[in-house]
């Protein structure tokens, strides 16, 4: 199977490299692309990169995106978002607002070249580290603190599954374990506060039932401790009537924080998560 990559597509109204995305399409017969695929209606995996709200780029994850597309026969979209620090300061929820702008763009407009290839109702959001916080701020109900992250109903309804690895969910809990993270990246991303309970997504209620969740965490993670995933998993299980909607996998991956994404366990788990839901 070949993977066609469309790079540096614009999703915002301004021409900003940090507000562009790459789109990957699995193609069995490249000679038929694109005309022979316009009614394929493929599911979409949307991978949002981590990097402590301050680093990384969509291009860093090309191999991961291609492998996910190959294993699931789904399209894969990888957006950038604005990073902190910058001048003037860029604080939460701006990074997540970019992700929501991208999701809305992809649903309503998409890339003109392939807009009929992918489904608008079978989406899987995949986040790592800080992007787990951003995605959950959109999927869960953060209206009490960040109403700008409320997705249109059509976007929310498209999301069938959410998969996180090495996620950051509770900023106060993170700083209690790693106090230096305040100066390193939390103050740049959220501003200096006495406490961060308002942006703890491990307290947000559901926007709607029906979404499936997969939370993974390596016990060898040297940057984010498994307590983050334990807290988020317990919260998700509490707010879901269907306990089977939430899968918590602590200790399955065995790599360091960023190396988790390169491991076979991660690729197999995320691919199986998507394919199992697709078969339902």
């Amino acid at each position: 199977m070949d993977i066609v990559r469309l790079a540096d597509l614009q999703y915002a109204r301004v021409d900003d490299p940090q507000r562009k995305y790459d789109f990957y399409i699995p193609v069995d017969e490249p000679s038929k692309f694109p005309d022979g695929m316009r009614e394929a209606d493929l599911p979409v995996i949307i991978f949002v990169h981590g990097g402590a709200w301050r680093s990384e780029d969509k291009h860093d994850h090309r191999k991961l995106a291609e492998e996910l597309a190959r294993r699931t026969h789904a399209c894969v979209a990888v957006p950038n978002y604005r990073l902190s620090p910058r001048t003037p300061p860029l604080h939460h929820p701006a990074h997540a607002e970019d992700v929501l702008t991208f999701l809305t763009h992809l649903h309503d407009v998409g890339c003109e070249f392939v807009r009929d290839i992918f489904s608008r109702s079978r989406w899987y959001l995949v986040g790592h580290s800080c992007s787990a916080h951003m995605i959950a701020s959109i999927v869960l109900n953060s209206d009490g603190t960040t109403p700008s992250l409320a997705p249109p109903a059509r976007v929310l309804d498209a999301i069938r599954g959410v998969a996180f690895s090495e996620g950051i969910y509770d900023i106060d809990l993170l700083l209690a374990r790693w106090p230096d993270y305040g100066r390193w990246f939390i103050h740049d991303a959220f501003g200096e506060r006495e406490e961060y309970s308002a942006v703890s997504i491990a307290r947000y209620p559901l926007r709607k039932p029906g979404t499936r969740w997969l939370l993974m965490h390596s016990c060898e993670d040297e940057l984010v401790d498994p307590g983050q995933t334990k807290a988020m998993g317990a919260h998700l299980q509490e707010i879901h009537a269907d306990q089977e909607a939430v899968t918590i996998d602590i200790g399955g991956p065995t790599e360091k924080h960023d190396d988790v994404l390169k491991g076979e366990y991660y690729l197999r788990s995320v691919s199986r998560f998507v394919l199992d839901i697709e078969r339902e």
Side-chain angles (χ1 to χ4, degrees):
M1 178 184 295
D2 288 280
I3 307 298
V4 175
R5 173 176 174 251
L6 305 177
D8 299 322
L9 305 173
Q10 184 172 319
Y11 69 79
R13 294 183 179 180
V14 297
D15 188 9
D16 180 353
Q18 291 189 347
R19 282 178 279 186
K20 293 187 177 182
Y21 67 104
D22 295 344
F23 196 78
Y24 299 81
I25 308 147
V27 183
D28 290 322
E29 298 182 61
S31 62
K32 292 186 178 181
F33 177 80
D35 292 334
M37 292 185 60
R38 291 200 177 276
E39 301 302 326
D41 194 35
L42 297 175
V44 182
I45 297 171
I46 296 155
F47 176 83
V48 184
H49 70 76
W53 291 274
R54 62 180 294 127
S55 65
E56 296 193 19
D57 183 90
K58 57 187 175 59
H59 296 305
D60 299 336
H61 301 283
R62 178 173 180 174
K63 290 183 178 179
L64 172 63
E66 290 178 340
E67 189 60 25
L68 287 174
R70 188 171 291 111
R71 293 186 183 212
T72 63
H73 203 74
C75 295
V76 178
V78 185
N80 273 345
Y81 51 88
R82 287 172 294 169
L83 302 173
S84 297
R86 62 191 288 161
T87 303
L90 186 81
H91 293 154
H92 175 80
H95 322 83
E97 287 172 349
D98 285 351
V99 174
L100 179 55
T101 297
F102 163 71
L103 295 174
T104 304
H105 163 86
L106 187 67
H107 189 281
D108 295 350
V109 181
C111 173
E112 181 178 1
F113 193 47
V114 293
R115 66 166 51 123
D116 295 327
I117 286 177
F118 62 89
S119 170
R120 264 65 171 184
S121 62
R122 288 152 49 224
W123 286 12
Y124 302 89
L125 307 189
V126 180
H128 181 75
S129 194
C130 71
S131 67
H133 187 284
M134 289 185 279
I135 291 172
S137 295
I138 295 168
V139 179
L140 296 180
N141 191 337
S142 59
D143 291 355
T145 56
T146 49
S148 63
L149 296 180
R154 61 191 181 278
V155 171
L156 188 62
D157 288 344
I159 301 167
R160 300 187 67 187
V162 179
F164 292 151
S165 55
E166 318 309 297
I168 296 173
Y169 308 104
D170 186 320
I171 305 300
D172 288 320
L173 187 63
L174 185 76
L175 292 175
R177 175 66 177 82
W178 313 90
D180 290 343
Y181 282 7
R183 293 190 302 273
W184 180 25
F185 63 89
I186 293 298
H187 296 166
D188 286 333
F190 291 87
E192 293 191 48
R193 311 183 187 193
E194 291 187 4
E195 52 90 25
Y196 293 85
S197 60
V199 293
S200 171
I201 56 174
R203 305 181 186 193
Y204 293 166
L206 285 175
R207 289 196 189 275
K208 76 173 186 69
T211 303
R212 297 272 295 279
W213 299 76
L214 169 64
L215 275 62
M216 291 181 286
H217 210 112
S218 170
C219 291
E220 299 300 318
D221 190 333
E222 79 285 19
L223 298 178
V224 178
D225 62 284
Q228 289 286 318
T229 293
K230 291 177 182 177
M232 185 62 174
H235 173 65
L236 289 175
Q237 289 180 328
E238 181 180 354
I239 63 177
H240 279 79
D242 178 9
Q243 294 293 298
E244 293 185 357
V246 183
T247 300
I248 305 167
D249 183 356
I250 296 175
T254 58
E255 299 84 1
K256 299 296 186 181
H257 183 82
D258 289 326
D259 290 339
V260 163
L261 298 177
K262 304 173 186 176
E264 173 61 25
Y265 188 93
Y266 175 87
L267 285 166
R268 185 172 63 247
S269 296
V270 173
S271 298
R272 184 187 301 124
F273 177 71
V274 171
L275 291 171
D276 285 350
I277 297 175
E278 283 293 302
R279 293 188 187 104
E280 291 178 354

